[in-house]
Amino acid sequence: MKLTAPPMGFNTWNTFGENINDELLRSTADKIIELGLKDIGYEYVVIDDCWAERSRDENGRLVPSREKFPNGIKAVADYIHSKGLKFGIYSCVGNRTCANYPGSLEHEFIDAETFAEWGVDYLKYDYCYKPISEQGHLLYKRMSLALANCGRDILFSACNWANDDSKCWMKSTGAHIWRMSGDVSDNWNSIANIYRQQIEMLPYNSTACINDMDMLVVGMNGKGNVGLGGCSEEEYKTHFAMWCLLGSPLMIGSDIREIDEKALGILKNKELIDICLDGRGCQPYKVDGGAAYDHITDVWVRHLENGDIAVAMFNMSDEEKNGIFQFVNAGINSSCGCVLDFCELYTGEEILGVRDELLTEPIPPHGCKIYRAKLRKA
């Protein structure tokens, strides 16, 4: 299959961990439809680790947990497909998964065949228990070939955490998306750390192998498997804006069956999602901020397919700072004869006809401003 934009959907791990079952996946699929999330692009329902029995069967095949999935995995996949959604599952390059269930090492082709028979559309492939004697790039290449020859289109999500210098070889494996950081937790420090790691990894990003910043924690509010502290509404807004600007897959990690309206509003911000999915696929670039400019925020620009630009200001500090976007740092100077019309994508506030080649906004601690800007002749 060919991936044309970052995938969107839901993954069980952040909230539920090992506490997963048939009913959870069905009711989550129902809620995705009810809340209108499918209509704006959230289409995958992905079950993470802990779905299997502890041992394979006599034919070497994976066996779904009889307690959690008494009707098997295919029945769940069929239900999710009946809703117009897609179904994802989890495995691992090692002989065991991260939670000590059977991994796919030396079973790649039989597992790919099994996943295809079950109606799987997405495989998250983790990196635990990889034998030292095995080369990681070959294990991902092997599963990639197995999926490509299983008779079904399956999105291949490599979860390698940037280990073993994988930035240099992951795009060669055939993986569609690539986890380039450790696991996210529901707190500001975790979000900030992943953001900083992504800055270094941007040159290795590609529309053929999209950098994955891990699942979203918006709306977890400190509950669940990785609910370690929780975030404020401002921090959740910054988190979502970062993932969208930097073009990460958007996989909801909260329990959407109980999500509050503010968190749902963040997740359904179509203007931000449009930036994430922008068809031009341009790499965003940082134009200001960082350690050398401790009095201002990080400022980013991303070119969009209709000639607009996205401008984001992220305040990574614990105190209010100024967001300062200098047009010249995005190649726009007085000789262009242009003014910019800005629209802030959370508030809808418009700042029209900016001529002075500078936009300055106060940004609260851990907060952001993110704009879509149009150029027009002065």
Side-chain angles (χ1 to χ4, degrees), residues 28-173:
T28 297
D30 292 344
K31 203 68 177 178
I32 288 173
I33 304 300
E34 178 187 330
L35 295 175
L37 289 164
K38 177 182 180 293
D39 297 335
I40 55 174
Y42 294 96
E43 62 176 346
Y44 288 96
V45 179
V46 181
I47 184 172
D48 212 285
D49 205 351
C50 310
W51 59 266
E53 292 287 341
R54 295 285 182 178
S55 301
R56 292 174 178 269
D57 69 12
E58 64 275 9
N59 298 313
R61 289 184 176 266
L62 292 165
V63 180
S65 167
R66 297 176 181 86
E67 177 183 355
K68 297 174 182 177
F69 300 97
N71 299 311
I73 294 294
K74 188 176 187 304
V76 179
D78 288 348
Y79 184 83
I80 289 169
H81 290 151
S82 76
K83 299 291 181 177
L85 299 169
K86 298 179 180 179
F87 173 69
I89 207 164
Y90 168 100
S91 191
C92 192
V93 304
N95 50 20
R96 308 297 290 180
T97 71
C98 297
N100 198 27
Y101 290 81
S104 289
L105 182 66
E106 297 186 356
H107 293 84
E108 291 85 357
F109 279 80
I110 193 171
D111 286 356
E113 179 183 304
T114 300
F115 297 150
E117 291 173 358
W118 288 347
V120 169
D121 305 295
Y122 179 117
L123 174 65
K124 177 181 173 182
Y125 206 48
D126 224 332
Y127 208 57
C128 290
Y129 295 101
K130 181 190 78 68
I132 295 174
S133 60
E134 296 281 357
Q135 298 182 62
H137 73 97
L138 291 179
L139 297 181
Y140 279 106
K141 289 170 181 171
R142 188 184 304 162
M143 179 53 86
S144 176
L145 285 171
L147 293 174
N149 288 277
C150 72
R152 184 177 180 84
D153 279 343
I154 298 178
L155 189 154
F156 188 23
S157 169
C159 182
N160 160 269
W161 332 307
N163 277 9
D164 296 334
D165 208 26
S166 53
K167 63 182 182 293
C168 296
W169 51 258
M170 188 57 77
K171 283 189 283 190
S172 72
T173 66

Side-chain angles (χ1 to χ4, degrees), residues 16 20 27 198 241 294 317 351 354:
F16 299 100
I20 49 178
S27 60
Q198 175 71 351
D294 61 3
S317 77
I351 307 173
V354 181

